[in-house]
Amino acid sequence: MNDAATAPTSSPSAPLAGLRVLDLCRVVSGPFGSLLLADLGAEVIRVESLPRPGSAAEIDPARLSEDEAFNWGLNRNKHSVSINLKSDEGRRIFHQMVAQADVVVDNFRPGVTQRLGVDRESLLEFNPSIITCSLTGFGGDGPWATMPAYDPIVQAMCGTMNYTRLGEGMSPVRWGIPIGDLFAGVFSAIGVVAATIHRDRTGAGQHVDVSMLDVMLALNTYRVPQALTFGQEPLPAPFEGGQGTVPFGNFECSDGWIATCISQRMWPAAARVMERPDLLTDERFNTGPARHAHRDELVALLQDVFKQRSADWWQENLMAAGVVCGKVTQVADVFRHPQVQTRGMAVDLTDELGRTATVVGDSLKFSDVSAWRAPRQVGADTAMVLSALLGVDGAELERLASAGIIHCGDAGGSVPLRERTAPVGEVDRSREVGRPLEGTTVLEMNGDEPSKAFAAQLLADLGADVIRVERPFGQVMEPYPDESREASFRAGLNRGKRSVVADLKTADGLEFLLGLAGHADVMIDNYRPGVLKRLGLDYEALSEKNDRLIATSITGFGHDGPWSAYPAFDNAIQALGGGMSITVDHTRPEVPIRWGNPIGGLTGAMFAALGTLGALRLRSLRGHGQRLDISLFDSQVALLSYRAPQAVTVGKEFLPEPRRGGTGSLPFGVFRTADDKFFTICITQQFWAKFCEAADHPEWVEDPRFVTEPLRRENEEDLYALVEPSFLERTAKEWEALYYSLKLPGAVVLTVNEAFAHPQAIARGMRLQLSDPDVTGGVIEVANAPLKFSATPELAPAGAPLPGGDTTAVAEEFGLQAPDVQVAAPSARWRDARV
């Protein structure tokens, strides 16, 4: 290696310092995952195809184009190398780069890496400890593995779109942001960091298999046992929270919309702000169960109340009173929010031409944004990288470029590669097979909120010993409306964990918790800022007991900024994060819709898991722990990635377009079929002719109104007037069989039961049966872990713990005095709380 061409790595301040990633990914999902790796400190080298002759767009030195803004949003802080991998010499160069890398990520369809000679088996010859990660629509195996997968397809197949509607009988709605792509990208980053931790310990690399569909299935969490075990298929419930909270949902105001979620403790304050004290004495509305029973009456009443004032007024006054409320915000306006500004989630970058654009900040706060750089043209770093890594001189670079093996863009301004920290020592074969977090103890503070419980479950799936710290029997704050919902939350969010009880209101309980923290590696909580300090459990106090502890705090808005003290629930985060403003039913485009699963909390959970893994890896480099400040709002804003520069800098207005794909492709969206079900399609230009064949209308192919995508957009009304009735000619299953035979991107909008009975879900092992003595039949079904690691052993699945049932055993393990606890079946705890 040419040391003169690299910059030495300073004392590690980022989790993936010294790690080199070769990124073969395209479009959104893979680049978003590698962007997160770059934010964690990895050096990411994009390996791109050679530009087509004449394809280079004229660069305007004064402003960004929309395509350039897209690139800035997903590929900042990455190098660009352009190699023809279809040539023998191009593959040879890539293989030499692999020998000096740690990770190779791709999002090709299954089989493509083998055809190119860059699959894992081929790469092992050049680097036996390489970590590989493949992100695909449906995974590396199963009957749908080679089917084309786009975001709306996996959203339709995961079960959630079926209950994301304005009401029964109305059209299913796709979330306006491509969460199938983005969430799979987050999971690919989680998988790579976990595999890195495993390699640090054992010397062994492995393969990480990430499926967009697996990820979306896993995010159903508590909905899975509700549907599969209790026969309660989720129905559209836009005015009811997952735990049964009412009032909940989106309400039209005098000039916009707000999303709210009002729990029992917030209800008196909400009534005061509404100037409706009668709501506190009306027997239909004075308790949580009563409001749940009289939901429709209350919603109708509140719809009139909210229309009396502006969305800004409601947001300001309800939040000031401690009542969750979020204005449905347009994408560009998100980056003007004072909390976004204060938390550094809007970052301005300037390129070598002096052009400046706003990109999304680092939600995990590991990055030094002052060192961020704008992406450069394709191949701009080819010469620098090949010279630094392989010692290729100028004459050889010219020869390779002339032969069409590489493309060297403008080399001016290349940032030198950083020094790589290569793995040392031989592979420990006795430990090669194992889970990344074996030997890691995680304390999860009380509560079943998805933001924390799902994060801890992800860590449990990776091998951590997760110990839930529960409130004592009898301190249940707000019981679920029924036992099946309690069991579904418990099983769907807590499998594979253990449980202890500690009463933090007593000296004994605090002492027990501090004793556990003294032996733990991680503590996760989602208390409001200031709560742990009042209990004497803030990070400063905990680190005195254990300076290696990582304290992951998950809050709605973070621990600083003007909104830090405000409460937050999922639907308000969805509203504030921009996505809800472009999520609509195409028949009612004026009404914003909340995604049926709590993606505000679940997105925060994914980033919390990723951040915790990063902090564990950084601890291994520095020797001490740290505090992580995870904000649900920051996490939701992070999903705007490529939209930030397009909306803020270029001025692209993101409007609801339920019948157009992200690039403007159409026909697109959901269509009613002959059996009154719905079928989802995503037809780009490459599929247009086959689409017309499947519709039995070959004459559409050459119709001058529809020959190209721009023409189809121009004649959209005429096109849909033909396409809509064509789908009524077959049933949903008949359409699926036809599209499957033609390898067209289309899928039936499935229920949760159908989603987990789908042959691809079965083949991928996404349906899991767990023993649970507290439910009739003793078995409860949940979603399996979505990440597949080649080094993970086959293990018997473990169910959710009995609350407090592990208190004595855990105390003995850690040499602590076990507090006296009352252990009871979960159903009894919740049943007694309702009395």
Side-chain angles (χ1 to χ4, degrees):
M1 181 174 175
N2 184 352
D3 292 332
T6 63
T9 303
S10 59
S11 176
S13 59
L16 300 186
L19 204 74
R20 183 171 295 143
V21 177
L22 302 183
D23 177 11
L24 294 167
C25 299
R26 306 291 185 265
V27 196
V28 174
S29 59
F32 186 62
S34 63
L35 180 73
L36 297 175
L37 297 178
D39 287 351
L40 289 169
E43 181 169 71
V44 178
I45 301 172
R46 296 194 72 207
V47 181
E48 307 189 67
S49 302
L50 269 61
R52 295 188 307 276
S55 65
E58 188 77 21
I59 297 175
D60 185 340
R63 66 185 299 276
L64 293 182
S65 68
E66 193 172 303
D67 287 345
E68 286 178 304
F70 179 96
N71 190 42
W72 279 47
L74 286 170
N75 293 308
R76 54 176 169 75
N77 303 323
K78 302 176 186 178
H79 297 287
S80 174
V81 170
S82 185
I83 303 175
N84 179 7
L85 292 179
K86 294 180 180 179
S87 68
D88 291 340
E89 206 161 6
R91 279 191 294 275
R92 176 183 61 79
I93 292 170
F94 180 73
H95 291 155
Q96 290 177 315
M97 292 173 65
V98 169
Q100 298 193 52
D102 301 280
V103 181
V104 176
V105 294
D106 78 86
N107 63 347
F108 295 130
R109 295 252 295 272
V112 172
T113 54
Q114 287 91 334
R115 291 198 297 273
L116 291 174
V118 296
D119 57 300
R120 177 169 182 77
E121 293 307 311
S122 300
L123 301 186
L124 286 174
E125 179 183 345
F126 305 94
N127 187 340
S129 63
I130 194 74
I131 294 166
T132 52
C133 176
S134 291
L135 192 166
T136 59
F138 300 110
D141 56 5
W144 277 58
T146 59
M147 288 293 289
Y150 291 86
D151 174 77
I153 306 304
V154 297
Q155 287 202 31
M157 293 178 67
C158 76
T160 314
M161 189 191 287
N162 186 61
Y163 54 90
T164 303
R165 315 186 194 210
L166 285 173
E168 290 189 58
M170 299 195 73
S171 176
V173 174
R174 164 188 172 265
W175 183 247
I177 291 174
I179 51 177
D181 290 303
L182 294 166
F183 288 169
V186 180
F187 268 94
S188 71
I190 290 172
V192 167
V193 180
T196 300
I197 290 172
H198 175 81
R199 193 189 68 169
D200 288 345
R201 185 175 69 247
T202 68
Q206 61 179 306
H207 184 65
V208 185
D209 177 2
V210 185
S211 152
M212 290 167 61
L213 180 60
D214 289 356
V215 167
M216 294 299 287
L217 288 169
L219 295 180
N220 282 295
T221 58
Y222 58 87
R223 302 287 195 180
V224 182
Q226 276 184 304
L228 273 58
T229 301
F230 299 106
Q232 298 172 356
E233 182 66 45
L235 298 174
F239 293 104
E240 178 183 326
Q243 291 173 297
T245 305
V246 174
F248 175 100
N250 300 343
F251 293 89
E252 188 175 9
C253 307
S254 62
D255 66 343
W257 293 77
I258 59 104
T260 191
C261 178
I262 305 176
S263 65
Q264 178 61 30
R265 64 181 174 83
M266 298 175 184
W267 183 237
R272 287 193 297 273
V273 173
M274 295 176 192
E275 299 177 349
R276 292 294 303 265
D278 58 300
L279 297 177
L280 302 179
T281 55
D282 191 318
E283 292 185 356
R284 298 171 299 169
F285 311 135
N286 60 352
T287 67
R291 292 193 296 278
H292 187 267
H294 297 278
R295 181 185 67 187
D296 293 345
E297 297 164 73
L298 181 58
V299 166
L301 183 155
L302 294 182
Q303 284 174 333
D304 288 334
V305 170
F306 281 112
K307 286 180 181 177
Q308 296 170 14
R309 298 184 185 272
S310 70
D312 283 322
W313 189 94
W314 285 115
Q315 178 175 271
E316 179 182 350
N317 286 274
L318 286 173
M319 290 293 257
V323 179
V324 171
C325 176
K327 180 182 176 181
V328 177
T329 305
Q330 303 294 316
V331 172
D333 291 335
V334 170
F335 295 92
R336 301 184 184 100
H337 194 287
Q339 191 67 10
V340 171
Q341 295 280 335
T342 303
R343 296 275 297 175
M345 288 304 294
V347 176
D348 288 340
L349 297 184
T350 303
D351 70 359
E352 65 268 27
L353 298 177
R355 301 178 301 176
T356 298
T358 298
V359 299
V360 174
D362 173 17
S363 65
L364 298 178
K365 315 305 181 193
F366 283 112
S367 294
D368 174 9
V369 298
S370 67
W372 282 12
R373 62 186 190 274
R376 302 174 66 239
Q377 302 305 306
V378 173
D381 302 301
T382 303
M384 181 276 294
V385 169
L386 297 190
S387 173
L389 292 187
L390 310 182
V392 180
D393 61 21
E396 179 65 359
L397 288 170
E398 286 187 19
R399 183 192 73 79
L400 292 168
S402 298
I405 307 303
I406 65 173
H407 168 70
C408 294
D410 177 14
S414 283
V415 175
L417 296 179
R418 298 193 298 269
E419 185 177 350
R420 172 179 170 244
T421 306
V424 294
E426 296 295 322
V427 174
D428 183 348
R429 296 297 176 187
S430 67
R431 305 173 69 191
E432 185 174 6
V433 175
R435 295 193 290 173
L437 296 188
E438 288 175 359
T440 304
T441 300
V442 175
L443 300 183
E444 177 197 346
M445 302 304 286
N446 180 77
D448 274 338
E449 297 84 356
S451 61
K452 170 186 59 63
F454 189 59
Q457 183 169 278
L458 293 175
L459 299 179
D461 289 338
L462 294 171
D465 177 18
V466 176
I467 302 170
R468 282 174 55 86
V469 182
E470 314 254 15
R471 291 189 183 98
F473 186 88
Q475 287 189 17
V476 175
M477 301 297 290
E478 295 190 30
Y480 296 91
D482 54 66
E483 291 171 22
S484 63
R485 200 172 310 208
E486 177 279 318
S488 296
F489 267 81
R490 175 172 47 79
L493 289 165
N494 295 301
R495 55 176 168 71
K497 303 176 184 178
R498 296 196 289 171
S499 172
V500 301
V501 166
D503 187 349
L504 302 185
K505 297 178 181 179
T506 67
D508 287 347
L510 279 172
E511 183 180 354
F512 180 57
L513 188 280
L514 284 168
L516 292 175
H519 293 84
D521 298 284
V522 177
M523 189 172 97
I524 301 181
D525 78 88
N526 66 340
Y527 295 131
R528 295 263 293 278
V531 171
L532 287 180
K533 188 172 183 65
R534 290 197 297 272
L535 292 171
L537 296 172
D538 56 306
Y539 180 66
E540 288 69 24
L542 293 171
S543 60
E544 286 185 12
K545 296 279 294 184
N546 179 359
D547 70 351
R548 290 177 58 79
L549 183 71
I550 293 157
T552 301
S553 173
I554 307 170
T555 60
F557 299 104
H559 282 260
D560 59 1
W563 279 45
S564 60
Y566 287 164
F569 287 144
D570 167 75
N571 65 326
I573 295 297
Q574 288 194 30
L576 290 163
M580 191 182 284
S581 71
I582 51 176
T583 302
V584 300
D585 180 337
H586 69 277
T587 67
R588 297 283 306 281
E590 75 283 3
V591 182
I593 300 176
R594 165 187 169 267
W595 178 245
N597 272 335
I599 59 170
L602 293 172
T603 306
M606 289 182 273
F607 277 95
L610 177 61
T612 301
L613 287 168
L616 284 167
R617 213 273 171 156
L618 187 56
R619 186 184 71 174
S620 71
L621 301 176
R622 296 194 304 193
H624 59 83
Q626 66 182 94
R627 174 176 166 271
L628 290 181
D629 177 8
I630 306 295
S631 154
L632 302 188
F633 191 23
D634 288 355
S635 301
Q636 199 75 182
V637 171
L639 299 181
L640 296 177
S641 57
Y642 63 86
R643 285 174 176 75
Q646 288 184 324
V648 179
T649 303
V650 178
K652 177 180 174 65
E653 189 175 9
F654 285 93
L655 300 172
E657 291 186 320
R659 285 300 178 90
R660 290 188 182 185
T663 58
S665 60
L666 55 87
F668 179 97
V670 294
F671 296 86
R672 196 179 295 270
T673 58
D675 52 348
D676 209 29
K677 291 181 179 292
F678 288 89
F679 194 75
T680 300
I681 61 171
C682 180
I683 305 302
T684 56
Q685 185 62 35
Q686 64 179 314
F687 297 112
W688 172 242
K690 276 192 176 182
F691 165 79
C692 298
E693 175 190 342
D696 291 331
H697 286 284
E699 72 278 8
W700 293 351
V701 176
E702 300 300 331
D703 189 312
R705 297 170 296 173
F706 311 138
V707 172
T708 65
E709 274 189 358
L711 284 169
R712 292 197 288 279
R713 290 193 291 273
E714 188 178 320
N715 297 284
E716 184 172 350
E717 189 174 333
D718 291 347
L719 177 64
Y720 283 124
L722 298 172
V723 171
E724 291 245 23
S726 75
F727 275 96
L728 296 173
E729 299 296 318
R730 294 185 176 94
T731 66
K733 280 295 182 185
E734 288 169 342
W735 281 116
E736 182 177 75
L738 180 58
Y739 271 53
Y740 183 83
S741 68
L742 294 172
K743 281 203 172 349
L744 277 169
V748 181
V749 176
L750 301 177
T751 65
V752 173
N753 268 290
E754 291 166 342
F756 282 84
H758 192 280
Q760 188 65 17
I762 298 297
R764 297 279 296 175
M766 287 305 298
R767 185 170 184 159
L768 194 62
Q769 287 193 339
L770 301 176
S771 174
D772 193 312
D774 203 42
V775 300
T776 303
V779 172
I780 196 164
E781 291 195 90
V782 300
N784 204 350
L787 286 175
K788 317 296 184 196
F789 293 92
S790 62
T792 296
E794 288 290 332
L795 298 171
L802 185 70
D806 302 296
T807 306
T808 301
V810 168
E812 289 179 358
E813 286 178 31
F814 293 111
L816 304 173
Q817 179 67 42
D820 292 330
V821 299
Q822 182 180 359
V823 178
S827 58
R829 289 163 57 94
W830 294 108
R831 186 165 52 246
D832 289 352
R834 289 201 309 274
V835 175

